[in-house]
């Protein structure tokens, strides 16, 4: 016959162990850590709102997910972090569509020169059916999931003191750094320049050492990376209205519940909106600030550059679909 006190003690111990087990599960759940990687400086809105998004995800999921943001190429160059989504070394990245376009080329049509009129045109694209269809094509091909598109800025050419760019003909023979992705080649190649892919983290030194004559990036990036220190001329070509994608790895996305997917999507789209608005505001003031610092800011005839580019190349030459190009152009 069992001892009542022993039975009570065993019951109490079993309950305590069960409670402890549940408690440990709760702690484990609260400690699900995610790695968010990008190649931008901590001073830039891309980092600021990645951190904001990580904090919001933690808050809105009641601590279920904790996001650590790795800026400034600390987890690798842009090609590396894109590959990391598949390898499982990162969970979330910010990346240009040009890099995602290596997996699904039609997605990179947004990098065709002069496809966007301005920032607002691109923001309409981010909410359009054509973007949703292109993003789904990438999702289906890669297994990863695009949650948001952020405005990155209008790309402009900076060049050394000896090589100012005022008209399309000035691009001929110019050795210009571009990102190591095919989508960026259409503009320089069509104007007779010599595009030279160099990793983002190495651009400043390449300009300083005259490895290349020029580079192209939005004004906020020119400021953040201090390219204005080693490039006298800033030509306002605005040849690509650039964007960044927020991409979750397929492994992460498959683990999320429907409610969690909704939270991640909403937070990342809010972060993208905040980022874009801050970039637009900084672009409005930076041209004058560069002039005040002694840079030669050159206002060019963008229509002349656009005509020269379209005379030399077309979207289908670069693997983009003509129908996607035309639908984006038509967005109002």
């Amino acid at each position: 016959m069992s001892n009542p006190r022993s039975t009570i003690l065993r019951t109490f111990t079993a309950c305590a162990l069960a409670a402890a087990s549940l408690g440990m599960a709760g702690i484990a759940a609260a400690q699900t850590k995610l790695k968010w990687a990008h190649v931008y400086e901590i001073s830039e809105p891309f980092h600021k709102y990645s951190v904001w998004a990580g904090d919001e995800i933690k808050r809105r999921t009641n601590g279920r997910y904790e996001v650590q943001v790795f800026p400034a190429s600390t987890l690798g160059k842009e090609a590396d972090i894109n590959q990391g989504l598949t390898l499982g070394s990162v969970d979330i990245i910010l990346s240009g569509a040009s890099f995602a376009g290596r997996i699904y080329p039609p997605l990179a049509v947004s990098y065709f020169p002069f496809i966007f009129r301005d920032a607002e045109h691109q923001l309409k694209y981010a909410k359009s059916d054509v973007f949703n269809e292109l993003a789904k094509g990438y999702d289906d091909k890669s297994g990863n999931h695009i949650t948001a598109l952020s405005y990155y800025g209008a790309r402009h050419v900076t060049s050394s003191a000896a090589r100012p760019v005022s008209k399309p003909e000035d691009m001929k023979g110019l050795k210009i750094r571009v990102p190591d992705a095919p989508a960026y080649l259409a503009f320089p190649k069509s104007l007779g320049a010599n595009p030279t892919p160099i990793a983002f983290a190495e651009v400043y030194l390449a300009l300083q050492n005259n490895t290349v004559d020029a580079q192209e990036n939005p004004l906020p990036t020119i400021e953040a990376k201090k390219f204005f220190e080693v490039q006298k001329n800033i030509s306002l070509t605005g040849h690509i209205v650039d964007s960044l994608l927020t991409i979750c790895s397929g492994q992460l996305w498959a683990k999320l519940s429907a409610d969690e997917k909704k939270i991640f999507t909403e937070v990342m789209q809010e972060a993208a909106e905040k980022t874009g608005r801050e970039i637009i505001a900084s672009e409005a003031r930076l041209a004058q600030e560069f002039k005040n610092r002694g840079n030669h800011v050159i206002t060019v005839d963008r229509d002349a550059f656009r005509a020269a580019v379209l005379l030399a190349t077309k979207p289908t030459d670069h693997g983009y679909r003509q129908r996607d190009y035309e639908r984006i152009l038509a967005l109002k």
Side-chain angles (χ1 to χ4, degrees):
M1 185 171 177
S2 64
N3 187 325
R5 291 186 62 186
S6 297
T7 303
I8 293 170
L9 182 60
R10 284 197 300 272
T11 303
F12 176 81
T13 302
C15 291
L17 287 172
S21 177
L22 288 171
M24 289 302 293
I27 291 169
Q31 293 178 342
T32 300
K33 297 184 185 297
L34 303 176
K35 292 181 179 180
W36 181 320
H38 64 76
V39 300
Y40 304 100
E41 300 299 316
I42 60 173
S43 61
E44 296 184 82
F46 316 112
H47 179 69
K48 172 183 175 181
Y49 289 111
S50 295
V51 173
W52 175 87
D55 291 343
E56 280 296 295
I57 287 169
K58 184 175 182 178
R59 184 181 69 82
R60 297 188 198 184
T61 62
N62 297 316
R64 174 71 177 85
Y65 295 95
E66 184 172 338
V67 180
Q68 184 176 2
V69 180
F70 295 84
S73 304
T74 51
L75 291 187
K77 300 171 185 176
E78 196 153 3
D80 299 327
I81 62 174
N82 273 271
Q83 188 177 26
L85 290 173
T86 301
L87 296 176
S89 57
V90 295
D91 303 291
I92 305 161
I93 67 169
L94 289 182
S95 177
S98 57
F99 286 86
R102 290 176 172 178
I103 296 173
Y104 184 66
L107 183 63
V109 67
S110 61
Y111 284 75
F112 191 79
F114 303 103
I115 190 172
F116 293 113
R117 298 180 295 276
D118 51 28
E120 294 303 324
H121 184 188
Q122 190 197 72
L123 293 174
K124 287 185 175 65
Y125 165 69
K127 296 177 170 60
S128 70
D129 289 342
V130 63
F131 172 67
N132 290 335
E133 290 167 17
L134 288 167
K136 185 179 185 304
Y138 167 84
D139 290 3
D140 292 344
K141 188 75 180 288
S142 69
N144 302 318
H145 180 67
I146 294 171
T147 58
L149 182 146
S150 308
Y151 175 67
Y152 181 68
R155 299 180 81 94
H156 305 292
V157 173
T158 72
S159 58
S160 62
R163 296 296 305 264
V165 174
S166 301
K167 54 189 184 300
E169 294 77 14
D170 296 332
M171 292 286 294
K172 191 171 180 62
L174 188 73
K175 194 171 185 181
I176 181 169
R177 178 270 172 182
V178 294
D180 188 14
Y184 290 100
L185 300 178
F187 175 72
K189 278 191 168 182
S190 65
L191 299 178
N194 180 17
T196 305
I198 295 173
F200 197 41
E202 300 164 10
V203 176
Y204 185 97
L205 190 60
L207 298 173
Q208 188 177 48
N209 294 340
N210 297 313
T211 303
V212 290
D213 306 309
Q215 69 85 44
E216 46 82 65
N217 258 299
L219 297 181
T221 305
I222 293 166
E223 179 186 46
K225 301 294 285 186
K226 302 189 182 302
F227 297 151
F228 66 90
E229 294 179 345
V230 287
Q231 296 271 270
K232 179 69 174 177
N233 301 300
I234 301 174
S235 303
L236 302 179
T237 52
H239 51 280
I240 294 174
V241 177
D242 208 344
S243 61
L244 293 180
L245 301 172
T246 310
I247 310 176
C248 295
S249 74
Q251 295 174 42
L252 167 62
W253 200 249
K255 293 176 184 176
L256 300 179
S257 68
D259 286 344
E260 289 168 345
K261 287 177 179 176
K262 184 172 184 290
I263 289 169
F264 273 61
T265 300
E266 288 176 351
V267 167
M268 290 170 176
Q269 290 183 355
E270 288 173 33
E273 179 72 18
K274 292 174 185 290
T275 299
R277 293 302 170 190
E278 191 161 314
I279 292 293
I280 290 168
S282 64
E283 284 182 313
R285 61 175 171 79
L286 278 172
Q288 186 58 50
E289 289 187 16
F290 287 130
K291 289 179 184 178
N292 295 344
R293 288 168 171 159
N295 291 94
H296 184 204
V297 179
I298 304 168
T299 300
V300 305
D301 181 352
R302 289 184 74 243
D303 288 339
F305 277 85
R306 185 176 188 275
V309 168
L310 293 178
L311 189 65
T313 190
K314 55 185 183 294
T316 51
D317 294 338
H318 304 274
Y320 311 139
R321 297 184 301 219
Q322 185 68 24
R323 62 184 175 88
D324 295 331
Y325 176 73
E326 290 173 358
R327 289 173 70 194
I328 293 171
L329 286 180
L331 290 171
K332 300 296 183 187

